[in-house]
Amino acid sequence: MAHATEALDLSATIEELRTARSAWRAADGRHRLDRFPSLAETGQAVDDLVAALFPGRLGMFTGPVEREDAFVETRLRQALARLQRQVECEFSYWQEEAVLAFDVSHAAMITGLFIAELGPIRALVDDDVRAAFLGDPAARSADEILICYPGVVAILYHRIAHALYGLGAPIVARIISELANNRTGIDIHPGATIGRSFFIDHGTGVVIGETAIVGDRVQIYQHVTLGARSPLGVTDVSARERLARHPIVEDDVVIYAGATILGRITIGRGATIGGNVWLLEDVPAGSVVAQPTAVILAGEAAGQLHETLRGRAA
């Protein structure tokens, strides 16, 4: 039995879609999507990297310890081969805009340099896990944190993406940050600079912009934004404003849920930013920034509000 949709006349819609595609390609025809790095392949590369960094906890390695290095080597070689292909795609994508041809060895060089970043990345993530254990009394073990805490997953992906971003593969790095966002609801631009022992508690809705600088031992909660004040292209901006659009958060700062911190301002060392605060100016070291205390209603005022909430107010 034929589906009812098979009888629909789609000719006009197909023509409209073809017209839209043609208009887009005429305006931006220099890019070929078949050269763009693959989301799926980049994801596979990250899975292999994560397994190599944490073979037991995230790589599911269960063999004898004397075979662990062989497992790590296998996953690492798979990751690097995939990663190099995606970096090659990135250069191919941009080639038509480049003044000079990219050297064919450029992707291999970036991949080779990236290898040297893996040991430091592992050490940084270990510090992040320790910070989560110290910062959350509900945590029972480091294994639980690494596997179950979205903030730690997001910072693990970010540490990988940030290294690639700095080595000159920003699209591949951006894809990795989007993979983390899809999994955790935490959006950290790979260009953001984040210090040691960083802990995002709960994490959903956290946004950290490209030029943000975060110091050591910083703790933030869900729905915190370290953002810019205005989108590029809406207003004229200087070179400094273009390259320094997001906040600087110094060491030992705590930022509670819902805080929105915008522009190139500095949150001084040891400051505490309360929940739902909106900040557009510097905060001195050691300060506490808080909204006014909520009003507690009682008696007739409380009764009237209850009735209003139930839709029964006069």
Side-chain angles (χ1 to χ4, degrees):
M1 179 177 175
H3 292 289
T5 55
E6 294 178 2
L8 293 174
D9 183 0
L10 301 179
S11 57
T13 299
I14 291 171
E15 181 179 355
E16 289 173 357
L17 293 174
R18 183 176 64 250
T19 300
R21 291 196 307 271
S22 299
W24 178 267
R25 288 167 181 167
D28 192 45
R30 60 189 181 278
H31 292 311
R32 286 180 51 186
L33 190 57
D34 61 343
R35 297 175 178 173
F36 198 82
S38 163
L39 182 68
E41 281 292 305
T42 304
Q44 287 284 338
V46 173
D47 288 345
D48 285 331
L49 283 172
V50 167
L53 286 167
F54 297 93
R57 287 179 283 185
L58 300 179
M60 311 303 282
F61 173 76
T62 57
V65 68
E66 59 268 19
R67 294 182 57 188
E68 190 171 37
D69 283 348
F71 172 87
V72 168
E73 181 176 356
T74 298
R75 298 300 293 267
L76 196 53
R77 290 191 183 280
Q78 290 175 180
L80 296 173
R82 287 190 171 104
L83 198 60
Q84 182 171 325
R85 287 195 297 270
Q86 299 318 302
V87 176
E88 288 169 351
C89 287
E90 178 167 343
F91 289 134
S92 178
Y93 180 76
W94 291 116
Q95 184 59 77
E96 293 177 19
E97 289 191 14
V99 176
L100 300 174
F102 290 113
D103 192 291
V104 292
S105 66
H106 203 153
M109 180 185 69
I110 287 177
T111 306
L113 292 171
F114 176 70
I115 294 171
E117 300 286 341
L118 293 175
I121 287 172
R122 167 67 201 239
L124 284 169
V125 176
D126 283 345
D127 282 348
D128 298 327
V129 171
R130 292 187 189 99
F133 192 81
L134 292 172
D136 185 3
R140 295 173 178 82
S141 70
D143 295 332
E144 177 192 11
I145 290 167
L146 190 59
I147 293 170
C148 302
Y149 278 44
V152 172
V153 173
I155 192 62
L156 168 57
Y157 276 52
H158 173 73
R159 303 255 186 231
I160 293 169
H162 184 69
L164 289 166
Y165 186 88
L167 289 170
I171 291 180
V172 174
R174 194 70 180 87
I175 290 173
I176 294 171
S177 72
E178 186 56 29
L179 290 168
N181 189 8
N182 285 340
R183 180 173 172 184
T184 67
I186 297 168
D187 184 0
I188 308 176
H189 193 284
T193 301
I194 297 177
R196 306 187 79 90
S197 301
F198 181 59
F199 179 36
I200 305 175
D201 202 353
H202 305 294
T204 304
V206 166
V207 177
I208 302 177
E210 178 186 17
T211 65
I213 299 174
V214 178
D216 297 337
R217 299 174 302 280
V218 170
Q219 180 172 346
I220 65 178
Y221 288 80
Q222 66 272 20
H223 295 289
V224 166
T225 297
L226 303 180
R229 294 192 185 184
S230 59
L232 295 178
V234 175
T235 58
D236 293 330
V237 293
S238 66
R240 182 184 183 283
E241 290 169 327
R242 180 178 291 271
L243 297 173
R245 308 186 307 278
H246 301 92
I248 297 171
V249 179
E250 295 186 346
D251 298 346
D252 302 304
V253 168
V254 178
I255 306 175
Y256 283 95
T260 299
I261 304 172
L262 302 180
R264 193 55 153 198
I265 63 175
T266 298
I267 309 302
R269 180 171 184 156
T272 297
I273 310 301
N276 298 318
V277 165
W278 173 279
L279 272 177
L280 300 174
E281 59 189 75
D282 293 343
V283 174
S287 300
V288 176
V289 180
Q291 295 280 35
T293 302
V295 175
I296 300 174
L297 300 178
E300 184 179 350
Q304 288 177 349
L305 183 54
H306 281 308
E307 292 301 300
T308 299
L309 292 173
R310 293 180 174 89
R312 295 199 293 261

